[in-house]
Amino acid sequence: MSGFCPPGIRLHTLFCGALLALVFALQPARADTAALDVLLQNTRASIPAGSPCPPQAEPLQQVLCRGKLRLGVRSKYAPFADQVNGRPEGFEIDLGAALANRLGVQPHYVQVTPANRIASLGEGRTDAVIATMGHTLQRDAEVRFVRPHYYQSETVVVGRSDLDLPDIDTVKGKTVCVAVGNNTNAELASHGARLMLFDSASQLVDQLRQGACSFAAQDNTFFAAYLNEPEFGARHHVKFSFAPLPWGIGVDQRQGALLAEALGLALQEMHASGQLLALAQAHGIETDFLQQQQRLWRSGPCAQAAGIHEAACMQQPHDNQLAQTAFAPWVSAFEAWCRERLGIKITLAMLKTRIALEFFLEGVAFSLALVCGAIASTWALALVFGGGLSSPHRWLRWPARTVLMAMQSTPLVLLMVFAEVLVGAVGANSSFIALAAAIVVLGLFNGSNAGQAIAEAHASLWAERGPTSLRPSLRQAMLRAKAQLLAFVVNATRGSPAASIIGVPELLSAQTDITSFASERATTYSLLLVFYMLVVSLVVWLGQRWERQQNARQAGLDA
Amino acid sequence: MLDVISQFVPNFLLALRVNFGIAFFALLGGLVAGGALTAAHLRPGWPRRCARTLLTLMRAAPTFVLMFFLLNTLPRDSGSGLLNWTPYLSVVLSLAVFAAAYVCDNALECVHQWRAGSRAAALLFLMSLVRAFFVMVLSSGFGAAVGVVEATSVTLRMLEQLKSPGDRIVLMLVAISIFMLMFQIIYWAIQRVRQHIAQRLGPAPQGLSSERS
């Protein structure tokens, strides 16, 4: 060409070429729509003409033959899927309609629930399910997920607008209300949140409204509708999110490869063109994920048909399986043996996963330390208060009486929280500080009352001996009041689980955390009750033994 | 801070009604169960053995743990629509277990005193019930841990709104002061009535230890 064009024209051509190249480079790449058309054409061609739809045909063939795409969808999950005046409405409903339209067939909606959505594929009631189904590694064994994903949800912590909670690291020590069974509860527990458990997500909203919960954690799509309500939305906001979970369309695991390919290509087109984003915006749904997907599917290799098989273009499924302990299989075998031989259904969730075992062992250790500390502090403070209340000096008696009045008039839980506020004021914040604070509170609460009994015993001893005799010793008074002292030592043991309310990771707190993600309650809380009853019984037995020894020693002295 | 306190105190006092309600129903349940235990204890043979075993178990069960156990193991939906298990009920029942053991202990002492001819000392059983009622009002604060909206949980929710440690300490002192004032008046009244009965009718027997948690 350079041989034919004069220099001026050559420059102009070069400039135009460069300009056009620049314009094309700036144009977003479009998804390759031809691939889906070819796939549909070839599949239609493979359907025998003039015959009824063959029942053993591959699902895509059946869909094209019937002219109908049967979609499993949920209800009562606005704005994703709901029934309004008997008609399905929502983002997933419109997505299903758009996909059916792209395949050239009619959509037909079949109602499913989270419990039966996967089963509906195997039973042949649906061709595909678009039912708020998170794509997890564990579900890959049961259903084939269409790629790319059409949405992504996250777990959010929602709370009162006037409270700060910027990220997951700040949940330590905060009470967060959760629904039992969410695997993401394990992450909150491991960051030190105090979990309050409820059966269902709807109860979380009630508790937020009533003010019983200041924070609640659940999937963001669950809260979407409530946050759109003027009253709820004005008083509550999303504080932070974590644990992203991609949502996928599910098809039959064994035979659905071709249908998955077709739906995947259609989804690729919808991402790249912005149609999926527009649908989400129309239904008032969070669009960060879809905006990111639109950029992804418009560029580079992801814009090609083969992009739906490129690992770099795909989001990985979420792995919500918690790491198992080495002896989990033996635990399961033991459970099965109990069920078959004894007819007792037990689930030892605290022994099956590493995180549960960690919580459990830590809980046992802290509980035992708490009980030992509470007994020691009760005994020590009983002597301090006994001495103070029976002191001849007013400056000792009156402070002791004031503290005793406070201990006798205030709920233990409130005293625990007060101790937490005091240690928080000096910036101390750890499980061991909480343990120390709880031990002091239990000691004050029970020791002050036991000290009153010792002071009364001191007074009665002195009255018996006569006012001119030597003051009885504190030890003598303690021995006279030993029954009362032991009663309050036992009381301190019984009251020690209340320390969980200020973040001591004792066994009650640990079992609550384990229940939150293991969903098992009966065995977990039964074991907890048995543990504490055994500990209390042991303390009672040791106390009675000590009392008998003292009585025998006193009888020997008297003789 | 004055605004906060003026907003807090009425809510706190209103929420105290829930605490008193829990204590009332728990004591009622405790009276029924404790009465049955006492009757069984007074009969020789297996009724007494069963009563003793039950009492031992009831004394060993910490109220706080029992509350969580009941809440998480009993079915939430009774199916009949008449009684659905709630956090409120779990607090009431866990306190009723404590009340039943307390009622049985004191009732047995009352029967012993009555049989020994000390009718007056036996009447102090009523005073011990009043004392138990107020112990359970204090213990009903456990409900805050399971979502019951009572005085302690109202205090905790208000605490969350306060950023400054000084303000939080002041609020706690206000809550504790209200409890102290209320209960010291009650204990003073109980003590006066007890002394009046003791003076008019004879010396009081040795009191049983009070369990406050």
Side-chain angles (χ1 to χ4, degrees):
Chain A
M1 181 159 180
S2 61
F4 292 99
C5 296
I9 295 174
R10 204 165 48 217
L11 264 177
H12 178 262
T13 306
L14 276 174
F15 176 75
C16 289
L19 190 60
L20 278 170
L22 182 64
V23 167
F24 275 116
L26 288 174
Q27 278 287 342
R30 298 293 179 195
D32 181 359
T33 60
L36 178 54
D37 294 330
V38 166
L39 174 63
L40 293 174
Q41 191 178 359
N42 290 342
T43 307
R44 283 196 175 91
S46 69
I47 301 169
S51 61
C53 300
Q56 301 306 317
E58 198 272 343
L60 180 59
Q61 287 179 319
Q62 293 209 22
V63 167
L64 296 177
C65 178
R66 281 196 306 263
K68 189 164 64 176
L69 176 64
R70 297 170 308 167
L71 294 163
V73 294
R74 286 184 67 175
S75 66
K76 296 180 187 171
Y77 209 87
F80 292 88
D82 202 359
Q83 286 279 326
V84 179
N85 298 324
R87 291 179 61 246
E89 275 187 18
F91 169 70
E92 288 178 334
I93 307 302
D94 291 347
L95 170 60
L99 288 169
N101 182 52
R102 184 63 182 91
L103 298 186
V105 297
Q106 292 296 314
H108 174 76
Y109 301 103
V110 176
Q111 254 195 39
V112 297
T113 66
N116 67 10
R117 56 193 170 188
I118 294 177
S120 70
L121 291 166
E123 290 162 7
R125 291 189 293 118
T126 55
D127 300 311
V129 291
I130 312 178
T132 70
M133 188 160 59
H135 185 185
T136 64
L137 279 179
Q138 290 69 38
R139 285 189 178 136
D140 270 340
E142 302 171 73
V143 64
R144 182 186 295 269
F145 279 89
V146 172
R147 315 292 284 277
H149 301 109
Y150 68 90
Y151 192 69
Q152 176 178 283
S153 67
E154 295 176 298
T155 301
V156 292
V157 173
V158 168
R160 282 178 14 207
S161 306
D162 57 337
L163 300 176
D164 285 333
L165 199 67
D167 52 52
I168 198 165
D169 293 320
T170 55
V171 295
K172 188 176 166 62
K174 300 279 193 300
T175 300
V176 181
C177 296
V178 298
V180 171
N182 258 335
N183 259 18
T184 57
N185 294 339
E187 202 167 334
L188 285 169
S190 64
H191 278 82
R194 286 173 229 161
L195 304 182
M196 194 182 288
L197 306 184
F198 294 91
D199 278 339
S200 66
S202 58
Q203 283 180 290
L204 301 180
V205 175
D206 293 337
Q207 295 294 323
L208 283 171
R209 282 193 172 125
Q210 289 165 18
C213 293
S214 297
F215 303 105
Q218 184 62 13
D219 195 88
N220 62 336
T221 59
F222 167 78
F223 279 122
Y226 296 104
L227 289 168
N228 282 335
E229 289 173 14
E231 196 189 335
F232 189 87
R235 293 175 59 193
H236 301 91
H237 290 123
V238 172
K239 300 301 176 185
F240 63 88
S241 62
F242 64 103
L245 177 66
W247 290 11
I249 298 174
V251 297
D252 185 70
Q253 168 68 266
R254 288 170 292 123
Q255 295 184 299
L258 215 51
L259 179 58
E261 178 85 9
L263 292 174
L265 288 168
L267 273 174
Q268 184 191 34
E269 290 174 13
M270 291 178 73
H271 272 303
S273 67
Q275 186 182 2
L276 206 50
L277 177 60
L279 274 180
Q281 286 166 340
H283 288 280
I285 288 168
E286 183 79 33
T287 57
D288 289 350
F289 170 75
L290 293 172
Q291 289 175 17
Q292 179 259 331
Q293 289 289 293
Q294 184 186 38
R295 289 192 295 272
L296 176 73
W297 293 103
R298 281 182 165 190
S299 58
C302 301
Q304 308 306 313
I308 65 169
H309 301 292
E310 284 284 334
C313 302
M314 290 302 166
Q315 190 149 6
Q316 293 307 307
H318 181 67
D319 183 2
N320 63 354
Q321 178 84 21
L322 299 172
Q324 305 283 296
T325 56
F327 44 83
W330 299 337
V331 175
S332 299
F334 175 70
E335 289 169 354
W337 181 86
C338 286
R339 200 165 45 245
E340 285 154 23
R341 291 298 183 93
L342 306 176
I344 303 170
K345 183 171 181 277
I346 61 167
T347 310
L348 300 169
M350 71 290 295
L351 300 179
K352 287 183 172 174
T353 60
R354 282 195 212 149
I355 189 168
L357 184 65
E358 203 178 290
F359 283 153
F360 179 71
L361 293 176
E362 188 185 47
V364 170
F366 268 88
S367 285
L368 293 175
L370 185 57
V371 165
C372 292
I375 291 171
S377 69
T378 298
W379 206 285
L381 287 166
L383 292 172
V384 168
F385 275 88
L389 290 167
S390 57
S391 167
H393 306 293
R394 200 178 296 176
W395 57 268
L396 273 177
R397 281 202 315 273
W398 281 103
R401 278 185 192 164
T402 307
V403 174
L404 177 64
M405 260 171 47
M407 295 300 125
Q408 288 180 332
S409 314
T410 312
L412 177 62
V413 169
L414 213 57
L415 289 171
M416 287 278 187
V417 172
F418 187 41
E420 186 191 19
V421 167
L422 285 177
V423 299
V426 297
N429 184 17
S430 78
S431 303
F432 293 100
I433 301 285
L435 174 69
I439 286 172
V440 169
V441 169
L442 286 165
L444 278 172
F445 190 75
N446 292 284
S448 59
N449 284 279
Q452 186 182 37
I454 291 176
E456 287 169 1
H458 185 272
S460 74
L461 262 176
W462 206 359
E464 279 171 16
R465 291 178 186 181
T468 54
S469 61
L470 275 175
R471 278 173 62 87
S473 69
L474 202 57
R475 187 171 183 280
Q476 287 170 322
M478 182 196 75
L479 289 173
R480 172 165 278 207
K482 57 183 176 304
Q484 296 264 14
L485 177 59
L486 285 174
F488 283 106
V489 163
V490 171
N491 220 37
T493 309
R494 286 164 46 96
S496 63
S500 63
I501 214 156
I502 61 168
V504 177
E506 50 70 66
L507 193 59
L508 169 59
S509 172
Q511 298 289 68
T512 301
D513 290 345
I514 293 168
T515 300
S516 74
F517 55 82
S519 304
E520 203 295 314
R521 297 191 205 218
T523 313
T524 306
Y525 281 96
S526 299
L527 284 175
L528 174 73
L529 184 62
V530 167
F531 171 84
Y532 270 107
M533 286 176 73
L534 284 173
V535 169
V536 170
S537 300
L538 178 64
V539 170
V540 168
W541 179 76
L542 288 171
Q544 286 172 347
R545 203 175 141 179
W546 176 80
E547 198 175 7
R548 280 196 299 272
Q549 282 174 356
Q550 297 306 314
N551 288 341
R553 193 175 294 173
Q554 189 60 41
L557 284 172
D558 290 343
Chain B
M1 189 61 199
L2 280 175
D3 286 341
V4 168
I5 293 173
S6 61
Q7 188 192 348
F8 166 71
V9 170
N11 289 337
F12 181 85
L13 292 174
L14 214 62
L16 268 176
R17 290 186 315 174
V18 176
N19 296 81
F20 278 88
I22 290 172
F24 172 76
F25 289 116
L27 187 61
L28 207 59
L31 275 171
V32 170
L37 276 173
T38 308
H41 207 282
L42 290 170
R43 297 185 65 172
W46 68 264
R48 180 178 291 176
R49 283 196 295 274
C50 286
R52 275 191 186 153
T53 306
L54 267 173
L55 269 176
T56 306
L57 290 172
M58 286 157 88
R59 288 192 198 112
T63 306
F64 197 70
V65 173
L66 189 58
M67 179 180 70
F68 276 89
F69 171 77
L70 293 171
L71 184 64
N72 287 283
T73 54
L74 292 179
R76 297 299 179 99
D77 186 358
S78 65
S80 67
L82 292 174
L83 184 70
N84 287 328
W85 203 254
T86 61
Y88 184 93
L89 279 177
S90 70
V91 182
V92 167
L93 191 57
S94 61
L95 285 174
V97 169
F98 157 72
Y102 183 88
V103 162
C104 183
D105 285 340
N106 282 270
L108 286 172
E109 178 64 21
C110 168
V111 167
H112 169 71
Q113 294 291 337
W114 191 275
R115 286 177 177 172
S118 177
R119 304 285 192 258
L123 287 177
L124 290 172
F125 170 69
L126 294 175
M127 299 305 306
S128 71
L129 288 185
V130 174
R131 190 180 180 84
F133 174 75
F134 290 108
V135 167
M136 285 191 287
V137 170
L138 289 178
S139 300
S140 60
F142 287 163
V146 291
V148 177
V149 182
E150 44 71 59
T152 307
S153 64
V154 163
T155 310
L156 295 177
R157 297 294 89 79
M158 186 60 81
L159 268 181
E160 283 170 347
Q161 291 182 33
L162 301 175
K163 306 274 190 289
S164 149
D167 288 346
R168 291 157 67 94
I169 290 172
V170 167
L171 185 79
M172 290 301 306
L173 288 173
V174 167
I176 289 172
S177 300
I178 294 174
F179 268 112
M180 273 179 69
L181 189 62
M182 189 170 63
F183 279 88
Q184 286 307 309
I185 292 171
I186 290 165
Y187 290 149
W188 175 82
I190 290 174
Q191 200 59 25
R192 289 297 296 259
V193 171
R194 191 187 172 108
Q195 280 171 0
H196 177 73
I197 293 176
Q199 277 166 11
R200 286 194 64 178
L201 299 173
Q206 274 293 326
L208 291 166
S209 62
S210 61
E211 291 201 22
R212 290 181 186 278
S213 67

